[in-house]
Amino acid sequence: MTIHSNITLSMIVKNEAHNLSDCLHSVKDFVDEMIIVDTGSTDNTKEIAYSFGAKVYDYSWQENFALARNYALEYVNTEWVLVLDADEVLNPVIIPYIQQVIKEKENLVVNLIRHEIGALSSPYSQLSRLFRKHPDIKFSRPYHALIDDAVLSLQKQETHWRIVDLPEIAIKHYGYQPEIIASQDKAKRAKKAMESYLSQNPNDAYVCSKLGALYLELGDTKKGIKLLKTGLKSNLATTATLFELHYHLANALVKEKQWEMAVKHYQKAMTQPILAKLKLGAYHNFGSLCYQGQDFHNAIKLYQECLKIEPNFALAYYNLGLSYRAMGRNFKAIDAYQNAIKLDTNYPWAYQNLGVLLYKQGEIEESIKAFQKAYSLHKQQNPEIAKELKQELLDIAIELVENEEFLSM
């Protein structure tokens, strides 16, 4: 049954037939209307949109996401606008929270938490994707189009408007899957658009953050560091952008082996007054830096902080296990690996490390089961590592036979 929410779903799409059904299915009983702007699909994207009752409008692409999103806004007939991309779905858990928050007459923008499915150390981001339709709210920036600039300007004129943060996960984003990240074409388009914008707006801290991070992803570390520092020097960054600038800069400095400076920037990132979920990456990566420096005590504290913020963070449990193992606290390490496996049953390294510790504890049968699972997963995910593990297992088997303790696999 459709809920009358006074919300319009607004989207821009192109050749999204493989994603669109899941996205629209997640909102079909919640939003009052769906406005979809198609920028030149050659697959059956538009047919899928029509099948969900969406209104579809054609738009000639102009290498500018803001212009396309603003075109979609022109067709919105409700009081509120929800913006999604085709590779995102709305989490049904968030619907009651949204229904409550849009009743408040002074709420202008609702910031939503997005779960980056497939991102390892930094799984959450926050986006201004739910907002009132207002003639002064428009998207800006050709790439990473945002309403934030318009909203800040509007708040200066009409001071009663409020921005609200919803702490629950609202959107699940599948664009961080490894095969999607590997698309260099997408990265090149982003780079070109942001470089063009930056040439006209050299002190824009937000673009410095996003483009700087992209340079790092593309392997241009020096260029990335320079741009991130430019963003910090501008003194124009919002709190959220300040976090990103410090966080990405710390990650880059780790690669450059500038440990002390990396620590300072991780610490500055963690002190920013933003939602704790958004700071997971900083806590986790700082923990990994401590681990690499053999400061296992602080590494454990940082991984434990990650798990206070997000109890379902499998990677934090795995690295907690590594830290406990390095300190010789094997039972704690076994417990941590087992927790990682409960949260991610396809985690070969957790099984492999668990197998090693169980073997050392003399739990041979359970050790072999863990190794077998690790080998099976490695074989699927990384055959070369599977070969190495197979040789290690053979060595263990030989040792067990010599000790007359071998249990057949």
Side-chain angles (χ1 to χ4, degrees):
M1 185 176 70
T2 302
I3 302 165
H4 292 291
S5 58
N6 204 15
I7 297 174
T8 293
L9 172 70
S10 178
M11 299 179 68
I12 57 172
V13 298
K14 181 181 178 182
N15 292 337
E16 291 288 357
H18 56 299
N19 286 321
L20 191 57
S21 291
D22 288 342
C23 176
L24 298 185
H25 189 268
S26 74
V27 298
K28 68 182 179 66
D29 295 327
F30 175 52
V31 299
D32 286 326
E33 65 175 359
M34 301 179 188
I35 302 297
I36 296 182
V37 167
D38 189 279
T39 63
S41 292
T42 55
D43 61 8
N44 64 331
T45 292
K46 291 200 283 187
E47 286 76 10
I48 292 170
Y50 285 129
S51 74
F52 280 87
K55 298 173 184 176
V56 182
Y57 301 91
D58 291 318
Y59 179 78
S60 179
W61 180 243
Q62 299 176 50
E63 300 295 332
N64 189 308
F65 282 89
L67 292 178
R69 291 207 184 278
N70 288 334
Y71 181 75
L73 287 182
E74 294 176 16
Y75 294 97
V76 172
N77 295 304
T78 57
E79 189 176 356
W80 284 85
V81 185
L82 171 66
V83 175
L84 291 178
D85 290 331
D87 60 357
E88 298 171 339
V89 298
L90 189 71
N91 183 3
V93 171
I94 203 66
I95 289 175
Y97 296 94
I98 290 177
Q99 289 172 319
Q100 187 61 38
V101 80
I102 65 175
K103 290 178 183 176
E104 300 295 326
K105 292 182 179 180
E106 294 185 347
N107 288 347
L108 179 66
V109 177
V110 181
N111 289 327
L112 302 178
I113 297 290
R114 184 172 75 173
H115 185 189
E116 313 293 355
I117 307 296
L120 295 177
S121 64
S122 189
Y124 301 105
S125 60
Q126 186 181 53
L127 301 166
S128 49
R129 292 288 198 84
L130 180 63
F131 54 92
R132 285 187 187 273
K133 188 182 180 187
H134 189 290
D136 291 340
I137 294 184
K138 301 291 182 186
F139 286 91
S140 60
R141 306 169 194 271
Y143 200 86
H144 291 295
L146 297 168
I147 59 164
D148 299 43
D149 295 333
V151 169
L152 290 173
S153 178
L154 179 59
Q155 279 187 307
K156 289 176 183 177
Q157 300 168 37
E158 302 175 13
T159 56
H160 65 285
W161 288 122
R162 291 186 306 193
I163 299 172
V164 181
D165 297 334
L166 286 187
E168 304 297 325
I169 296 168
I171 299 168
K172 295 182 180 180
H173 178 220
Y174 292 89
Y176 275 86
Q177 301 295 331
E179 64 273 16
I180 299 171
I181 293 263
S183 171
Q184 289 299 304
D185 191 45
K186 185 177 180 181
K188 286 176 183 175
R189 290 202 311 272
K191 180 171 171 283
K192 182 179 177 182
M194 286 191 283
E195 284 177 340
S196 174
Y197 184 84
L198 189 69
S199 68
Q200 304 297 318
N201 304 272
N203 294 315
D204 190 302
Y206 181 83
V207 174
C208 285
S209 171
K210 294 298 183 185
L211 184 55
L214 182 59
Y215 283 145
L216 298 179
E217 282 181 30
L218 296 174
D220 199 340
T221 305
K222 288 184 179 179
K223 208 169 183 179
I225 288 174
K226 183 178 179 181
L227 198 52
L228 293 169
K229 288 181 176 178
T230 298
L232 287 171
K233 287 175 185 174
S234 72
N235 293 320
L236 298 171
T238 63
T239 304
T241 299
L242 264 180
F243 167 79
E244 288 199 5
L245 287 165
H246 285 299
Y247 171 64
H248 291 307
L249 186 53
N251 291 341
L253 291 168
V254 168
K255 289 183 179 178
E256 294 293 290
K257 299 183 179 178
Q258 297 183 38
W259 318 120
E260 290 184 12
M261 287 302 296
V263 167
K264 288 179 182 178
H265 285 287
Y266 279 134
Q267 290 172 333
K268 286 180 180 178
M270 291 187 303
T271 59
Q272 298 304 316
I274 60 175
L275 290 173
K277 264 185 175 22
L278 304 176
K279 297 192 278 190
L280 266 179
Y283 281 105
H284 179 269
N285 290 3
F286 188 17
S288 297
L289 179 58
C290 290
Y291 175 83
Q292 290 168 27
Q294 299 189 343
D295 182 1
F296 304 123
H297 179 72
N298 277 319
I300 287 169
K301 286 173 66 176
L302 287 159
Y303 293 137
Q304 287 175 332
E305 189 62 33
C306 287
L307 293 166
K308 285 180 188 175
I309 297 168
E310 178 47 81
N312 296 322
F313 195 6
L315 184 61
Y317 270 119
Y318 173 74
N319 285 322
L320 187 61
L322 292 181
S323 302
Y324 279 132
R325 180 184 172 187
M327 294 180 74
R329 300 173 69 179
N330 288 354
F331 288 109
K332 283 277 192 181
I334 287 170
D335 186 57
Y337 291 139
Q338 288 173 333
N339 279 317
I341 289 166
K342 284 177 188 175
L343 294 169
D344 184 354
T345 56
N346 295 314
Y347 203 157
W349 291 107
Y351 284 106
Q352 184 169 333
N353 280 274
L354 178 61
V356 170
L357 289 186
L358 290 172
Y359 174 70
K360 287 184 176 180
Q361 297 300 123
E363 297 182 38
I364 307 303
E365 188 171 358
E366 291 304 310
S367 170
I368 289 170
K369 287 179 183 178
F371 278 131
Q372 286 177 320
K373 185 67 175 177
Y375 175 72
S376 174
L377 290 169
H378 278 312
K379 199 172 179 181
Q380 296 169 28
Q381 298 173 21
N382 194 326
E384 288 301 315
I385 293 174
K387 286 180 185 177
E388 294 174 13
L389 178 57
K390 187 174 184 179
Q391 185 56 54
E392 289 178 25
L393 294 177
L394 288 171
D395 293 342
I396 290 173
I398 290 167
E399 183 180 337
L400 287 169
V401 168
E402 288 174 350
N403 293 329
E404 297 182 347
E405 294 176 350
F406 181 66
L407 299 172
S408 62
M409 295 174 67

